[in-house]
């Protein structure tokens, strides 16, 4: 199935990209959530306007992304969550929890979809998280998970 992405999808592409995906993935996930639209000749004419808007945003955001990456590197993020004996959490820490903790710590407002957790955070301690701010700029963030 040929689709045109309307938002950035991790591992697939950026807005305006024309991608070929499995039918079920496109029909059941990408299209209903508004991440993509079906490719047609008429929709292909929209690609240029989507790409133009993306380029204007990226040019403006590249300097901002580098500045935010510097601020995130210096930020101390502490996330309080419920934990049992031995430091195991009840559940796991989500990207939404991390985005909220960054805002509480005085950092910038982050989109939870841009935060990438390598392995699920299920224990108390210090964990490294990657934040994709821009296609060319990524920042690493140290998150301290404490029982609270």
């Amino acid at each position: 199935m040929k689709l045109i992405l309307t938002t950035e999808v991790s591992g697939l592409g950026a807005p305006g990209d024309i991608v070929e995906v499995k039918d079920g993935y496109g029909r059941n996930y990408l299209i209903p959530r508004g991440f993509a639209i079906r490719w047609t000749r008429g929709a292909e004419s929209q690609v240029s306007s989507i790409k133009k808007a993306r380029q204007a945003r990226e040019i403006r955001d590249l300097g901002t992304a580098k500045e935010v990456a510097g601020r995130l590197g210096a930020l101390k993020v502490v996330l309080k969550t419920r934990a049992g004996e031995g430091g195991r959490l009840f559940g796991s820490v989500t990207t939404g929890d991390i985005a909220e903790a960054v805002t509480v710590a005085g950092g910038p407002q982050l989109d939870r979809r841009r935060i990438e957790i390598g392995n699920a955070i299920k224990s108390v301690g210090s964990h490294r998280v990657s934040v994709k701010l821009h296609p060319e700029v990524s920042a690493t963030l140290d998150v301290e998970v404490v029982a609270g």
Side-chain angles (χ1 to χ4, degrees):
M1 171 182 276
K2 233 177 176 179
L3 297 174
I4 300 170
L5 296 177
T6 56
T7 60
E8 184 172 339
V9 178
S10 182
L12 193 57
D17 289 350
I18 299 172
V19 294
E20 185 79 28
V21 297
K22 300 257 184 182
D23 291 344
Y25 182 53
R27 188 176 52 246
N28 298 327
Y29 181 74
L30 295 174
I31 294 173
R33 286 178 173 75
F35 295 155
I37 56 174
R38 289 187 187 274
W39 178 88
T40 61
R41 281 190 218 107
E44 192 169 11
S45 65
Q46 293 177 342
V47 171
S48 62
S49 65
I50 292 172
K51 284 188 176 185
K52 224 187 265 187
R54 182 180 86 191
Q55 286 174 343
R57 220 174 22 251
E58 284 179 359
I59 291 169
R60 181 184 53 190
D61 287 344
L62 181 59
T64 308
K66 288 181 181 178
E67 176 192 324
V68 170
R71 286 177 37 203
L72 285 176
L75 196 62
K76 173 98 170 125
V77 178
V78 177
L79 183 65
K80 288 187 179 183
T81 186
R82 290 183 47 201
E85 292 181 27
R88 284 200 45 88
L89 303 181
F90 296 122
S92 63
V93 175
T94 64
T95 56
D97 297 335
I98 293 170
E100 186 178 320
V102 168
T103 306
V104 169
Q109 185 113 20
L110 296 176
D111 184 8
R112 66 176 177 79
R113 293 175 293 223
R114 295 193 178 268
I115 299 172
E116 297 172 356
I117 302 173
N119 293 328
I121 299 174
K122 295 187 175 192
S123 63
V124 173
S126 183
H127 301 278
R128 289 211 138 192
V129 174
S130 176
V131 181
K132 189 168 179 148
L133 300 168
H134 187 270
E136 300 172 16
V137 180
S138 269
T140 55
L141 180 65
D142 289 320
V143 178
E144 184 69 34
V145 179
V146 296

